[in-house]
Amino acid sequence: MSGRFSFGFCAIAFVLSFVFPGIGLAQGNSLRNQLIGTWIYVSSTGTREDGSAVQRPSLQGAVTYTAEGRFHFITVRTDAPKYASGDSARPSPEEAMAVASGVVAYTGTYTVDESTRTIHVNIETSSFPNLVGAPNQRRIVTSITDDEDGVLVNVHQSAHTRRHNS
């Protein structure tokens, strides 16, 4: 599995922005309803198939889950170079490569299996074409807890998402 491909499946941490401030964490509220909103990227961890850690660059980004079953995901390296020309249509080859290799974006549909606490995604469009239609695209939510700092969501055992309490 290539590093870029495995990145698409790594566990990722986000902070939920208050797009839907009325949605709260309550017993009996479905996992799907708890995920709806825009989650701001905080950090990520990943492991290779051999168990070794995957080094992660510094990133910014977000993922949005809509009530209609759509999702949008994007991360961008924070150390991407500014274009010397100042023109987004005229990067140098090195600048273009650095930016293109530092962006992962995809969108599509999702479903939630409440019994296994698994988010299944169907990627329809991606900045990395190999993700489009790839099988077994899932994120397992291992826990959701609420504390004074916000809502923490553990995804695929090593990622964390947080929605701050208002």
Side-chain angles (χ1 to χ4, degrees):
M1 187 180 298
S2 76
R4 190 124 183 221
F5 185 79
S6 64
F7 175 78
F9 297 109
C10 74
I12 299 183
F14 294 90
V15 174
L16 180 63
S17 65
F18 286 101
V19 176
F20 300 101
I23 296 175
L25 182 65
Q27 283 192 342
N29 201 3
S30 71
L31 173 60
R32 185 178 188 281
N33 286 342
Q34 292 176 54
L35 291 173
I36 293 171
T38 298
W39 298 81
I40 304 302
Y41 181 91
V42 175
S43 65
S44 66
T45 59
T47 357
R48 293 183 182 85
E49 290 179 14
D50 67 4
S52 62
V54 176
Q55 291 291 86
R56 295 283 178 226
S58 176
L59 301 169
Q60 293 177 313
V63 64
T64 298
Y65 293 100
T66 71
E68 296 77 29
R70 306 237 9 117
F71 80 97
H72 317 282
F73 172 89
I74 184 169
T75 57
V76 179
R77 287 181 70 127
T78 58
D79 62 353
K82 298 208 183 289
Y83 292 175
S85 70
D87 182 347
S88 65
R90 299 177 48 104
S92 71
E94 296 80 15
E95 291 166 338
M97 178 57 87
V99 169
S101 65
V103 173
V104 175
Y106 46 87
T107 187
T109 59
Y110 78 97
T111 58
V112 175
D113 181 335
E114 298 285 340
S115 65
T116 61
R117 302 184 60 79
T118 304
I119 306 163
H120 296 272
V121 299
N122 174 43
I123 296 175
E124 299 170 344
T125 302
S126 177
S127 61
F128 181 51
N130 297 34
L131 293 177
V132 176
N136 200 28
Q137 305 231 5
R138 60 194 172 99
R139 288 91 175 123
I140 300 169
V141 178
T142 58
S143 68
I144 299 178
T145 56
D146 193 1
D147 61 26
E148 64 277 356
D149 294 326
V151 178
L152 179 67
V153 179
N154 292 311
V155 180
H156 199 261
Q157 301 172 349
S158 60
H160 311 287
T161 60
R162 187 171 290 278
R163 176 177 64 201
H164 293 284
N165 291 328
S166 53

